[in-house]
Amino acid sequence: MDDHITVNIFGQSFTFQTDTNSGLAQEVSQALVSEVKKVQEAYAGQPQVSQVAMLVAVALNFAQENTLLRNTQLQLEKELKGRSQRLLQMLEVSQS
């Protein structure tokens, strides 16, 4: 079943077909709208900042957050792998 989600940004509605569950799609669209509002508020009173520039700022914010989360995940995976290897070595020593 194909789901659709509508996002309203800068007074315009955009409808997209989703390939994921509707709950996740709704959460993502709400995060987008929330981030756009934060950027709009940050640039309030600066009429020279275009909507496109604000959307680029939103994209950069999401990219930064994604990169930080990915780096954290990689670090945690590395630590977990190291701990697992040490545990396996301890088990092998105790069985010999």
Side-chain angles (χ1 to χ4, degrees), residues 10-96:
F10 300 127
Q12 285 189 280
S13 293
F14 302 91
T15 300
F16 300 95
Q17 182 175 340
T18 66
D19 58 356
T20 186
N21 71 56
S22 60
L24 178 60
Q26 187 66 35
E27 187 177 344
V28 169
S29 68
Q30 288 173 352
L32 174 63
V33 170
S34 175
E35 191 64 27
V36 168
K37 285 180 183 178
K38 282 196 288 189
V39 169
Q40 270 184 300
E41 290 169 4
Y43 288 110
Q46 298 181 31
Q48 71 277 13
V49 179
S50 70
Q51 291 178 343
V52 171
M54 285 190 246
L55 290 176
V56 169
V58 168
L60 289 171
N61 290 346
F62 278 124
Q64 179 182 10
E65 182 179 356
N66 187 23
T67 300
L68 291 172
L69 289 171
R70 189 176 329 123
N71 289 344
T72 299
Q73 179 183 359
L74 290 172
Q75 182 62 34
L76 289 172
E77 287 174 359
K78 182 179 177 182
E79 289 176 20
L80 183 60
K81 183 178 179 181
R83 288 180 183 187
S84 296
Q85 289 174 342
R86 286 192 299 278
L87 269 173
L88 285 173
Q89 290 172 350
M90 291 171 61
L91 285 171
E92 288 172 355
V93 167
S94 70
Q95 289 181 352
S96 7

